[in-house]
Amino acid sequence: MAIITSIKVFFGETGNIARFTGRFFSTGLKPRFEIRELLSQCYIIGYKSLPLIALTGFIMGLVLTMQLRPSLVDYGVESQLPVMVGIAIVREIGPVITALIFAGKIASSIGAELGSMKVTEQIDAMEVSGTNPFKYLVATRVLATTLMLPVLTVMGDAISLFGAYLGVNIKSVTSFKLFFTQVFHSLSFGDVSPAFLKTFFFGFAVGVIGCYKGYNSSKGTRGVGSSANSAVVLSSVLIFIIDLLAVQLTDLLGLN
Amino acid sequence: MKTEKHFITADEKTETPVIIIDHLYKKFGKNVVLKDFSLTVKKEENVVVLGKSGSGKSVLIKCIIGLLKPDSGRIEVFGKNTPELDHDELDKIRAKIGFLFQGNALYDSMTVRENLEFPLRRHWIDFSQKEVDALVIEALENVNLAHTVDMMPEELSGGMLKRVALARTMILKPDVILYDEPTTGLDPVTAREIDSLILKLQKKYHTSSIIITHDMNCVKNTADRVALLLDGKCYAQGKYEEFEQSADKNIKQFFE
């Protein structure tokens, strides 16, 4: 019985998220556009996430290089370290780790903010003030996450590669120009474009889940906490599912 | 006094009401909250809807403003049946109705000024910046809080928050104001200040009001007419004095 209930809850929740996403396309993308709020959210979601993304990206590049070196030394291909690190960061690790960090910071913040607005009737107050709260709160945040995550991923990748460059130079000496020439020569269109494109979907998933959980938060502080928590968990899982689908798709299209 | 078995005074019959609630039904699942509720509010009249916690008072005013859709019945505001209006028409009606939320519902990410500007910017009415500034200051002066204009809601006390919320409710100079428990959670002195403000603003702007409360001092100070909501129906209505002298046990319990 418990399994049947869980399955029912799962499909019920999936249906609700699908309906919420449909409402975003049917209502959120129609005029009147909330440009001012969108720009404000881009600033909060994008610019204010940059320090965290930069720090984690830098450490990730540095650590990845240090971890890979011994294996490559064993095989006598230490010179290929920039190539391996470059491909790993740009194709997979950069977008996924950035998206996960982004989900942890932004999905929880959106979930808690909208959840708190819901329980304190601020969303109702917005509605009686002649504002469509879905457009003002949800559409702007989903668009901001969709547009900002790709930008943050590109920046995160760049900083991560810089971290990798420093990592390479810990135990050997490689010039900045040689390192980045090796990295960019190893990357093709098929490496960069799918990795970049999937970040739009990651960003969309983070925005939709954060807003869905906050907008449908139950009453009380417990409800708000639960919204923030489940927004992070669900958006993180979705990032992996989208990643899996993206890899399959690029494989089918022969971009790998 | 007028109950299900009550009397209607002559002026009630002749004056045109601004709000007519007629045979209203609203249920949540199996819980029937409003069951054949009817009430009228005349121009410049303060009607207090009295009832126990959970009796459906807030549901009633949320149905009037269109935040909840009744299952059946009519709610005529300025001659229009609000449950049948589309979003744009409802917004036009909402511009004439102020709503004071129980928990104030001030936007905590905005300053007092931005909170007050929000309805002015949203209701499709073109105001110049000079007009907006003047209206904001006038609204705050009405509640003696002009000095808080650039403060954040978190910097204000409970009473001040209520007065700022009242200023925001009044800023569009609505013809009708719906008060949801305006004195709940306030100390007796501040509660009486809010009562005075309600009366002062009503005289100044000639508004009609529905005041939802179970605070008998608030009822005494503000009511032109009292309606008792019991078991989803308008059980009784009349003047405060008539309620005070009533021998009906359902009414007497509010005075004990």
Side-chain angles (χ1 to χ4, degrees), chain B residues 41-249:
Chain B
V41 181
K42 293 173 289 180
K43 192 163 168 48
E44 292 184 44
E45 185 187 29
N46 276 350
V47 175
V48 170
V49 177
L50 185 64
K52 290 181 197 167
S53 298
S55 59
K57 306 186 297 293
S58 298
V59 171
L60 171 69
I61 54 171
K62 284 184 178 174
C63 285
I64 296 171
I65 195 98
L67 287 172
L68 292 172
K69 214 171 172 67
D71 298 323
S72 66
R74 286 179 67 78
I75 303 172
E76 266 189 35
V77 184
F78 309 116
K80 293 196 173 170
N81 187 19
T82 55
E84 286 176 359
L85 297 179
D86 65 27
H87 201 274
D88 286 347
E89 285 178 313
L90 191 58
D91 272 354
K92 281 178 192 158
I93 293 282
R94 279 170 172 168
K96 296 181 191 176
I97 306 175
F99 194 113
L100 183 71
F101 286 88
Q102 187 176 352
N104 308 319
L106 291 172
Y107 310 120
D108 42 23
S109 59
M110 298 181 192
T111 62
V112 168
R113 181 193 298 277
E114 288 164 341
N115 264 285
L116 268 70
E117 282 180 357
F118 196 85
L120 294 174
R121 302 262 185 229
R122 314 303 305 182
H123 269 304
W124 303 89
I125 305 162
D126 286 327
F127 291 108
S128 67
Q129 186 56 48
K130 209 173 168 182
E131 287 171 318
V132 168
D133 290 342
L135 284 167
V136 167
I137 293 302
E138 183 192 339
L140 286 173
E141 278 173 351
N142 278 334
V143 296
N144 305 318
L145 284 177
H147 63 284
T148 64
V149 68
D150 291 316
M151 290 167 86
M152 295 300 286
E154 70 207 23
E155 296 173 79
L156 306 176
S157 68
M160 289 164 100
L161 285 171
K162 189 63 84 181
R163 281 150 68 192
V164 171
L166 187 53
R168 186 179 65 178
T169 305
M170 295 300 300
I171 199 158
L172 280 169
K173 301 190 172 71
D175 297 317
V176 170
I177 306 181
L178 308 173
Y179 296 92
D180 191 358
E181 310 266 12
T183 55
T184 297
L186 300 176
D187 65 83
V189 176
T190 312
R192 297 303 69 85
E193 282 173 14
I194 297 295
D195 293 346
S196 306
L197 274 174
I198 290 172
L199 292 174
K200 177 185 140 186
L201 294 173
Q202 189 213 8
K203 274 187 189 151
K204 187 169 179 182
Y205 297 113
H206 309 289
T207 54
S208 312
S209 311
I210 294 183
I211 303 164
I212 298 294
T213 191
H214 45 62
D215 171 3
M216 293 314 292
N217 284 318
C218 177
V219 180
K220 188 179 180 182
N221 292 334
T222 59
D224 293 321
R225 184 154 53 98
V226 185
L228 174 60
L229 174 57
L230 187 75
D231 297 329
K233 291 184 181 184
C234 185
Y235 178 78
Q237 51 181 309
K239 301 248 178 237
Y240 175 82
E241 295 74 21
E242 293 172 309
F243 267 65
E244 201 175 22
Q245 288 154 18
S246 172
D248 188 309
K249 67 174 172 49

Side-chain angles (χ1 to χ4, degrees), chain A residues 116-185:
Chain A
S116 156
M117 287 184 80
K118 167 107 178 175
V119 301
T120 55
E121 297 180 306
Q122 290 177 49
I123 292 180
D124 285 345
M126 215 165 251
E127 195 162 348
V128 300
S129 297
T131 302
N132 183 336
F134 195 89
K135 272 187 174 185
Y136 190 84
L137 297 171
V138 175
T140 52
R141 279 159 180 77
V142 173
L143 281 173
T145 54
T146 309
L147 296 173
M148 287 299 105
L149 183 56
V151 177
L152 287 170
T153 304
V154 170
M155 290 180 167
D157 283 357
I159 293 163
S160 198
L161 287 172
F162 181 71
Y165 162 72
L166 294 182
V168 166
N169 278 279
I170 288 174
K171 288 198 175 168
S172 63
V173 178
T174 306
S175 74
F176 188 80
K177 191 179 172 186
L178 177 63
F179 176 84
F180 280 96
T181 304
Q182 274 188 288
V183 168
F184 287 119
H185 274 182

